[in-house]
């Protein structure tokens, strides 16, 4: 077996690593045979020199096999999931998982915590009293089978090699590497034993990928590696140049989900992302044969109330209340203060500094700055007006929810700064950019 420094030298010099050498690296990640300096050097070598598809497949597969890998021999319908690269106000997973389960697929979704300025699906679910995001694997499997959908957070023994590598990448300037991001995301997602995966690759000023070229390169890498690893995968590039939907903040996003599922409010951009991804999941699993029949299934799941019912059943099965849809605020905490944010001038909303809005939610304690920070689930923004809206001076462009005057003042001021209002209309970005098969 080659020494760690020899494996690092091969990649540093721009040569390809063999599957065996990649396997040694991943073993070294788990066993600590690669020390932190060596892992950091290896990450930097991969960052600088890149990897070919074969190498990324080997890295992904070895990292996936470093922990639990689920299988579902007992299930009689396709197993499908979606993963988003993350954004602000991105609550798509909730509606989507419920709709697709209502259409007959199984959706075992292992979700993440907030990362940087982006919100985390698992954190949002913890706004709901009693909800357990970390059940045992046996419980996760039972609920997926009985309800059709279970959304939980990452377990301790899921892709442990990624846990160590990600922590070291985070502090060595090696996060933004397409091979490393691909292996990191897919090692976790593929360990859920999926038949089909749909990736939502976000692009824009609130996303990890800021331009369409980067987003396309990541989408192509993920699609080709996941398909090579045997999971039918499609990627859809969607916009993150503004908050998605009308809310940003944990409990507020769950409330928006309830309003969406019951048809009380469906913000058009959010709805388009949900429906596009749902149709892709239904067609790729073979549940729908074409776009028109997928659309009918999605519409029925929503109008019949079946998607809302699936969501409520999942919440109850994982320890939450039985009546979240009827009485959402009986089991979530509301902030004690609400303040309207008023347009400072007449004009068009031409843009949002989306990352800044995400960081403001974190600054309000709606996310974490350190790993062990406690989240205030009640804080955030609602009634967010989208880019392109014409406003008069004094119109409400959003509302702040917080629990102290200081936080209200901080968040209102930040929000005003993060929204551009101009006399002439600006560019309105498309919601869906491209699909990569
Ligand atoms: N999310 C992950 O899980 N890994 C990355 O490398 C980036 C985003």
């Amino acid at each position: 077996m080659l020494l760690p420094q020899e494996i690092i030298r091969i990649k540093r010099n721009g040569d390809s690593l063999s599957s065996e050498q990649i396997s040694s690296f991943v073993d070294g990640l788990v066993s600590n045979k690669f020390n932190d300096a060596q892992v950091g050097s290896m990450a930097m070598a991969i960052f600088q020199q890149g990897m070919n598809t074969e190498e990324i497949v080997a890295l992904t597969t070895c990292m996936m096999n470093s922990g639990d890998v689920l299988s579902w021999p007992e299930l009689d319908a396709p197993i499908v999931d979606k993963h988003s690269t993350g954004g602000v106000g991105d609550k798509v997973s909730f509606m989507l998982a419920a709709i697709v389960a209502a259409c007959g697929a199984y959706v075992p979704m292992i979700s993440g915590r907030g990362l940087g300025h982006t919100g985390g699906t698992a954190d949002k679910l913890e706004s709901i009293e009693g909800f357990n995001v970390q059940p045992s694997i046996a419980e996760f499997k039972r609920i997926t089978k009985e309800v059709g959908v279970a959304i939980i957070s990452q377990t301790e023994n899921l892709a442990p090699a990624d846990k160590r590598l990600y922590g070291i990448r985070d502090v060595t300037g090696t996060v933004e590497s397409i091979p490393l991001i691909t292996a990191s995301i897919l090692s976790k997602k593929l360990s859920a034993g999926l038949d089909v995966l749909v990736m939502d690759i976000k692009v824009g000023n609130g996303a990890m990928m800021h331009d369409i070229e980067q987003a396309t390169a990541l989408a192509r890498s993920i699609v080709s590696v996941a398909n090579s690893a045997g999971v039918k995968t499609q990627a859809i590039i969607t916009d993150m140049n503004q908050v998605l939907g009308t809310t940003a903040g944990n409990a507020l996003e769950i409330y928006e989900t309830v309003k969406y599922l019951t048809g009380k409010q469906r913000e058009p951009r959010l709805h388009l992302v949900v429906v596009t991804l749902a149709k892709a999941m239904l067609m790729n699993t073979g549940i729908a044969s074409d776009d028109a029949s997928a659309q009918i299934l999605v519409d029925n799941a929503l109008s019949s109330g079946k998607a809302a019912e699936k969501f409520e059943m999942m919440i109850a099965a994982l320890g939450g209340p039985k009546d979240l849809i009827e009485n959402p605020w009986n089991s979530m905490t509301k902030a004690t203060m609400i303040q309207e944010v008023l347009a400072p001038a007449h004009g068009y909303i031409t843009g949002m500094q989306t990352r800044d809005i995400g960081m403001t939610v974190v600054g309000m304690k709606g996310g974490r700055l350190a790993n062990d920070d406690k989240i205030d689930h009640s804080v955030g923004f609602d009634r967010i007006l989208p880019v392109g809206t014409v406003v008069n001076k004094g119109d409400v462009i959003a509302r702040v929810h917080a629990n102290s005057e200081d936080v209200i003042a901080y968040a209102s001021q930040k929000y005003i700064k993060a929204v551009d209002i101009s006399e002439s209309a600006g560019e309105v970005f498309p919601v869906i950019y491209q699909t990569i098969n």
Side-chain angles (χ1 to χ4, degrees):
M1 198 179 94
L2 281 182
L3 291 172
Q5 50 270 48
E6 293 303 308
I7 298 178
I8 296 164
R9 285 181 76 237
I10 295 171
K11 188 40 68 188
R12 182 202 68 190
N13 292 343
D15 294 321
S16 303
L17 293 169
S18 67
S19 305
E20 244 178 20
Q21 288 157 350
I22 289 173
S23 173
S24 280
F25 169 56
V26 175
D27 285 346
L29 277 171
V30 180
S31 64
N32 286 323
K33 277 191 202 127
F34 271 65
N35 65 32
D36 285 1
Q38 289 167 327
V39 174
S41 302
M42 185 67 178
M44 188 56 85
I46 295 171
F47 184 99
Q48 295 288 2
Q49 300 292 357
M51 276 182 147
N52 61 37
T53 303
E54 238 178 21
E55 289 176 288
I56 311 175
V57 171
L59 182 62
T60 303
T61 316
C62 290
M63 282 179 20
M64 172 183 89
N65 287 325
S66 69
D68 293 334
V69 179
L70 305 186
S71 63
W72 307 85
E74 68 280 30
L75 299 187
D76 52 1
I79 297 144
V80 55
D81 194 6
K82 177 248 19 173
H83 182 74
S84 156
T85 51
V88 182
D90 182 1
K91 67 276 295 173
V92 167
S93 286
F94 304 125
M95 304 80 173
L96 187 64
I99 291 169
V100 173
C103 295
Y106 290 103
V107 190
M109 189 177 278
I110 299 172
S111 65
R113 300 278 180 189
L115 193 65
H117 67 285
T118 67
T121 296
D123 294 328
K124 293 171 198 180
L125 285 168
E126 282 186 336
S127 307
I128 304 164
E129 235 167 69
F131 191 93
N132 177 16
V133 291
Q134 290 213 293
S136 65
I137 290 291
E139 195 64 354
F140 176 50
K141 292 189 81 167
R142 182 187 66 77
I143 295 168
T144 302
K145 187 174 175 192
E146 283 176 18
V147 181
V149 50
I151 309 179
I152 64 164
S153 80
Q154 224 178 304
T155 66
E156 263 307 297
N157 201 31
L158 194 88
D162 178 62
K163 205 161 285 169
R164 176 145 185 254
L165 179 56
Y166 193 88
I168 293 174
R169 284 168 59 207
D170 205 19
V171 293
T172 54
T174 52
V175 170
E176 302 94 337
S177 147
I178 285 179
L180 292 174
I181 295 172
T182 303
S184 171
I185 290 176
L186 288 181
S187 61
K188 289 173 288 207
K189 277 286 141 178
L190 303 190
S191 65
L194 308 175
D195 298 318
V196 168
L197 173 66
V198 172
M199 285 293 308
D200 180 4
I201 310 276
K202 300 281 183 207
V203 64
N205 65 11
M208 188 164 53
M209 297 290 143
H210 289 191
D211 62 56
I212 194 74
E213 286 76 26
Q214 286 178 321
T216 308
L218 179 61
R220 285 193 203 292
S221 169
I222 290 180
V223 166
S224 86
V225 171
N227 281 301
S228 303
V231 176
K232 188 173 179 187
T233 300
Q234 191 175 46
I236 299 179
I237 301 176
T238 71
D239 187 59
M240 189 34 73
N241 282 297
Q242 55 179 309
V243 175
L244 189 58
T246 62
T247 59
N250 297 288
L252 293 168
E253 291 189 43
I254 296 285
Y255 183 50
E256 186 175 359
T257 300
V258 170
K259 288 198 288 184
Y260 179 98
L261 288 171
T262 52
K264 289 200 184 96
Q265 181 204 314
R266 286 183 192 144
E267 194 274 323
R269 293 171 58 258
L270 173 63
H271 188 44
L272 184 54
V273 175
V274 171
V275 172
T276 304
L277 292 168
K279 288 195 295 186
M281 289 164 87
L282 294 173
M283 286 190 282
N284 287 328
T285 49
I287 290 176
S289 53
D290 56 23
D291 191 85
S293 51
Q295 181 74 52
I296 292 171
L297 288 175
V298 172
D299 290 345
N300 285 345
L302 286 170
S303 61
S304 64
K306 216 168 159 207
E309 196 182 305
K310 283 282 175 200
F311 188 65
E312 193 166 61
M313 280 165 72
M314 175 195 75
I315 298 294
L318 280 157
K322 292 194 172 65
D323 64 343
L324 185 81
I325 295 287
E326 284 263 300
N327 303 303
W329 293 112
N330 278 1
S331 49
M332 296 196 292
T333 305
K334 272 187 179 167
T336 51
M337 297 176 195
I338 298 177
Q339 163 95 38
E340 293 175 339
V341 183
L342 305 181
H346 166 81
Y348 293 84
I349 298 182
T350 51
M352 273 185 204
Q353 310 313 312
T354 316
R355 187 178 188 283
D356 292 349
I357 295 175
M359 282 315 294
T360 303
V361 176
V362 174
M364 297 165 80
K365 304 247 180 296
R368 294 181 193 83
L369 286 172
N371 253 347
D372 51 359
D373 279 353
K374 207 170 163 321
I375 285 187
D376 181 345
H377 294 97
S378 68
V379 301
F381 299 97
D382 73 353
R383 299 202 191 164
I384 293 173
L385 292 185
V387 171
T389 312
V390 178
V391 291
N392 286 312
K393 185 174 176 187
D395 281 356
V396 177
I397 54 171
R399 299 192 314 174
V400 181
H401 293 239
N403 294 302
S404 75
E405 294 289 357
D406 287 354
V407 176
I408 290 270
Y410 156 83
S412 309
Q413 194 195 27
K414 286 278 187 186
Y415 196 86
I416 297 257
K417 275 206 186 128
V419 173
D420 308 322
I421 296 181
S422 164
E423 276 183 13
S424 44
E427 184 182 2
V428 177
F429 294 99
V431 181
I432 311 289
Y433 289 85
Q434 208 180 327
T435 298
I436 311 276
N437 290 309

